Amino acid sequence: IQLVCFGVRDVEVEFFNSLNKYNFDLTLIEELMNDENVEQCKGADAVMIRGNCKADRSNLTKLAGYGIRYILTRTVGYNHIDLEAAAELELKVARVPAYSPNAISELALNLGINLLRNIPYTTVKTHQKDFTVDAMMFSKEIRKSTIGILGTGKIGLTTAKLFKGLGARVVAYDIYESEAARGIVEYLPLEEVLAISDVVSAHVPHFKGVNDHFINEAFINKMKDGAVLINTSRGEIQDHSAILHAIKENKLSGYGTDVFEGEKDFFFRKLTGEKLDDPVIEELISLYPRVLVTPHIGSYTDEALTNMVEISYDNLHAYLMYGRCENEVPLPEI
Ligand code: COI
């Protein structure tokens, strides 16, 4: 069985090879899948992709034309795949519903507590051998803080537990309240979560046409003055201009993000000294140390990587052996 895997970085190669217990015939490609390299899938049986791979109608049509039947995304999110096209082309799509919620939650925690304690600001100064102490370094303790979790799926819940472990009050909003979360978080209406939280951390999938730019000006206006906003989920749920404005006006004291809408165009590339095409993102990034940006590394940990690859291999094996897979992404009716 020939399996082409895209977006495999150097450090990941060893994982792909050592976890290959089904002896798939692997082609590991470092680039994300795009309009050109999709041709390297000719003759393959299945394709493994990750976020930011271009799995649009045109590329899925090419894959189906090569005889490929299985698209395995080693991600939780699947908004990078045109599911309607996949359904029409009779492709099966499977994902990894949980590879290690802690990987993403720990990143959200790191961004949040660094901004709460003004660590980036302080260390920029000491890096310049300015050892004075100023008002910007004064901070509230975590156990006196309220953390607002948006979205209480596995990742949101894990983030809630981490903050709770540090003694914070953790409140949450979700359109689906979960029993598992109820013992950990206090569910409140969105307005209340925003009004009382010192840190708001988003753990929300993106559904096109449903929650685009959910974090917009009206949303931010409902937040506490000087709060911190964290997003380790999807860039499409946030309005960059509104966040930029809020940082510049000091409505938000800090913003930490692992994601941007349109990140495909610049994440994973070295663009030092160049201007980004998007002037709003360009300006946001320039606002370090109040704005902390990581290039979608939420899942970039040893545990997450192992599980992403292992579960994706299991997904393909299940399709081949049993014709079905418990991690199948439901496709729309056509
Ligand atoms: C996800 O699993 O949904 C991610 O965001 C991971 C990333 C490699 C795209």
Side-chain angles (χ1 to χ4, degrees):
I1 291 292
Q2 292 203 29
L3 171 61
V4 181
C5 307
F6 286 98
V8 182
R9 297 187 181 103
D10 277 355
V11 291
E12 301 177 46
V13 170
E14 186 188 318
F15 288 81
F16 275 80
N17 288 326
S18 64
L19 296 166
N20 186 13
K21 63 178 181 225
Y22 304 115
N23 286 318
F24 295 128
D25 183 355
L26 300 177
T27 303
L28 305 181
I29 298 175
E30 185 169 1
E31 286 175 3
L32 297 173
M33 187 171 77
N34 58 39
D35 296 341
E36 284 81 48
N37 63 20
V38 68
E39 286 172 17
Q40 295 189 46
C41 300
K42 277 183 193 155
D45 302 288
V47 172
M48 196 203 292
I49 59 174
R50 48 164 286 161
N52 289 325
C53 280
K54 198 168 169 208
D56 61 356
R57 177 174 291 275
S58 142
N59 284 344
L60 292 178
T61 305
K62 286 184 205 162
L63 292 174
Y66 304 150
I68 284 160
R69 295 185 49 212
Y70 307 110
I71 309 292
L72 312 155
T73 185
R74 56 181 188 281
T75 57
V76 178
Y78 45 88
N79 57 327
H80 51 295
I81 305 170
D82 184 335
L83 297 181
E84 205 162 292
E88 285 167 26
L89 295 160
E90 294 182 13
L91 292 166
K92 299 273 190 199
V93 178
R95 66 168 182 144
V96 181
Y99 38 75
S100 174
N102 293 66
I104 296 95
S105 298
E106 287 177 17
L107 179 62
L109 174 78
N110 266 294
L111 292 170
I113 61 180
N114 268 288
L115 286 166
L116 259 187
R117 194 68 197 245
N118 306 308
I119 297 298
Y121 172 82
T122 306
T123 51
V124 162
K125 285 189 68 175
T126 55
H127 183 62
Q128 293 156 357
K129 294 191 206 128
D130 176 351
F131 302 113
T132 59
V133 173
D134 64 49
M136 272 290 291
M137 297 175 189
F138 195 68
S139 170
K140 193 168 175 179
E141 291 183 19
I142 300 168
R143 69 200 168 100
K144 296 283 176 176
S145 303
T146 301
I147 312 300
I149 302 288
L150 304 181
T152 51
K154 295 183 187 73
I155 298 171
L157 180 55
T158 303
T159 308
K161 287 180 184 163
L162 295 181
F163 275 107
K164 193 110 181 180
L166 297 173
R169 175 181 179 198
V170 184
V171 297
Y173 169 75
D174 197 317
I175 44 173
Y176 306 107
E177 299 192 358
S178 90
E179 268 325 302
R182 238 183 264 278
I184 307 291
V185 304
E186 253 171 89
Y187 276 114
L188 292 174
L190 179 61
E191 275 69 22
E192 277 177 59
V193 169
L194 298 182
I196 63 174
S197 296
D198 299 288
V199 178
V200 170
S201 189
H203 301 281
V204 182
H206 172 233
F207 292 111
K208 205 173 177 164
V210 178
N211 62 0
D212 312 70
H213 293 194
F214 160 67
I215 301 177
N216 57 15
E217 194 185 335
F219 175 108
I220 295 170
N221 284 341
K222 288 178 199 147
M223 288 173 70
K224 196 168 164 175
D225 288 341
V228 165
L229 176 66
I230 304 296
N231 186 2
T232 51
S233 54
R234 284 293 181 266
E236 289 86 346
I237 66 162
Q238 63 192 9
D239 175 343
H240 300 144
S241 300
I243 296 170
L244 175 62
H245 183 75
I247 290 282
K248 287 193 348 198
E249 298 293 310
N250 292 320
K251 170 69 187 172
L252 290 177
S253 69
Y255 167 54
T257 190
D258 193 38
V259 289
F260 281 119
E261 181 169 23
E263 65 187 39
K264 251 209 312 293
D265 298 338
F266 53 93
F267 269 5
F268 320 138
R269 305 211 192 120
K270 183 160 172 144
L271 299 171
T272 311
E274 292 181 38
K275 270 221 178 326
L276 301 183
D277 291 339
D278 185 326
V280 176
I281 296 179
E282 172 81 26
E283 194 173 352
L284 265 175
I285 291 173
S286 77
L287 294 178
Y288 182 85
R290 287 178 60 206
V291 172
L292 305 184
V293 175
T294 50
H296 213 135
I297 55 160
S299 60
Y300 205 46
T301 70
D302 48 359
E303 178 71 15
L305 197 57
T306 302
N307 294 333
M308 284 166 124
V309 175
E310 204 156 37
I311 297 169
S312 296
Y313 285 161
D314 288 344
N315 286 346
L316 177 56
H317 180 71
Y319 274 131
L320 296 170
M321 289 297 287
Y322 314 111
R324 62 192 162 79
C325 165
E326 59 172 359
N327 296 325
E328 182 160 296
V329 175
L331 300 182
E333 300 277 334
I334 48 159

